[in-house]
């Protein structure tokens, strides 16, 4: 959240005297859009099959709803990363990882963004790596360093316009995933010393997605077999 001047919204002071800021939430907008589109198309196809289908088709279509819908929700709408003063919450398709900042060893972005905590590695689904954005940012930085930005229309300014800019990023010309990783790494280093940022990593399975998916799969197999 930001104020009218574009600065992060500052709330009341925290117990340690530092200002309290709203949690930062990161998620893939293209992933959310694709998930919504998939659900809309699936709803139309399944609805048509239920209304106009014959024989077992309506029952098979209804049984297939949770088998399709819940995994789509899990992989497109559910993933998100929430960074607060005390902890990092990584919401992946099938489970949620709650890592207090003191337990975070590092965050790194290779072919995917990874959280290293307490000697274990967790993939961060909400921040997908785009090799195209990286190449575009690299071309822009190279052109700016060579002094050709004015002639070919690239450089840091172009990189800022073509790649999304993350608030607080030390280098807004980088790819979005690399900016997010740098911001989270900085937050981990700054907040690790807080007394309230200590504790073990917690991993919670998302049963509200797992259970309906398994139940729907069993129902689908039963309907087809009968």
């Amino acid at each position: 959240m930001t104020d009218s001047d574009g600065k992060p919204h500052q709330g009341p002071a925290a117990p340690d005297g530092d200002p309290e800021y709203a949690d930062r939430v990161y998620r893939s907008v293209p992933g959310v859009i694709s998930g919504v589109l998939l659900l809309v198309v699936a709803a139309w196809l399944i609805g048509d099959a239920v209304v106009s289908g014959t024989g077992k088709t309506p029952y098979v279509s209804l049984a297939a709803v949770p088998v399709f819908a819940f995994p789509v929700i899990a992989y497109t709408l559910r993933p998100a990363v929430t960074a607060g003063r005390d902890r990092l919450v990584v919401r992946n398709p099938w489970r949620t990882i709650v890592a207090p900042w003191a337990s975070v060893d590092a965050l790194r972005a290779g072919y995917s963004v990874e959280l290293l905590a307490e000697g274990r590695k967790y993939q961060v689904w909400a921040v997908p790596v785009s090799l195209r954005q990286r190449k575009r940012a690299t071309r822009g930085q190279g052109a700016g360093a060579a002094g050709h930005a004015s002639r070919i229309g690239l450089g840091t300014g172009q990189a800022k316009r073509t790649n999304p800019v993350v608030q607080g990023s030390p280098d807004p010309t980088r790819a979005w995933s690399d900016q997010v990783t740098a911001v989270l790494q900085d937050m981990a280093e700054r907040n690790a010393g807080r007394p309230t940022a200590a504790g073990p990593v917690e991993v919670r399975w998302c049963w509200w997605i797992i259970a309906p998916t398994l139940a729907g799969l069993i129902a689908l197999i039963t309907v087809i077999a009968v």
Side-chain angles (χ1 to χ4, degrees), residues 1-223:
M1 184 181 298
T2 59
D3 295 326
S4 58
D5 57 359
K7 296 181 180 179
H9 175 71
Q10 179 175 324
D16 56 10
D18 291 338
E20 187 81 56
Y21 293 100
D23 292 349
R24 301 185 184 187
V25 180
Y26 304 99
R27 66 196 319 156
S28 171
V29 174
V32 172
I33 294 174
S34 64
V36 171
L37 292 177
L38 283 172
L39 291 175
V40 170
V41 173
W44 177 69
L45 293 175
I46 292 174
D48 180 69
V50 171
V51 172
S52 60
T54 59
K56 294 194 298 184
T57 300
Y59 304 101
V60 172
S61 300
L62 289 175
V65 169
V67 179
F68 178 82
F70 282 97
V72 169
I73 293 171
Y75 282 96
T76 61
L77 305 183
R78 173 177 154 76
V81 175
T82 303
R85 283 169 49 87
D86 299 328
R87 62 187 57 84
L88 179 69
V89 180
V90 178
R91 209 165 65 191
N92 282 341
W94 304 106
R95 60 182 182 172
T96 299
I97 299 95
V98 180
W101 289 119
S103 68
V104 174
D105 300 323
L107 287 116
R108 64 188 183 190
Y111 290 105
S112 63
V113 176
E114 297 174 337
L115 164 66
L116 304 177
E118 294 185 340
R120 299 189 64 183
K121 180 172 65 176
Y122 306 93
Q123 188 172 2
V124 181
W125 281 81
V127 188
V129 170
S130 172
L131 298 181
R132 178 179 297 181
Q133 283 188 3
R134 280 184 177 170
K135 291 179 180 178
R136 186 165 54 205
T138 300
R139 287 198 301 267
Q141 292 169 350
H148 297 311
S150 61
R151 289 193 287 118
I152 62 176
L154 295 174
T156 56
Q158 176 70 7
K160 288 180 182 179
R161 288 193 295 271
T162 55
N163 288 338
V165 176
V166 177
Q167 179 183 332
S169 171
D171 185 0
T173 66
R174 301 175 68 189
W176 178 75
S177 58
D178 296 330
Q179 293 183 60
V180 172
T181 303
V183 170
L184 295 178
Q185 179 64 38
D186 178 69
M187 293 183 69
E189 294 172 357
R190 286 190 291 105
N191 295 318
R194 294 183 185 277
T196 53
V201 175
E202 298 180 19
V203 179
R204 307 166 186 165
W205 289 97
C206 185
W207 291 108
W208 70 268
I209 285 182
I210 297 174
T213 302
L214 294 177
L217 182 60
I218 294 173
L220 180 61
I221 295 173
T222 302
V223 171

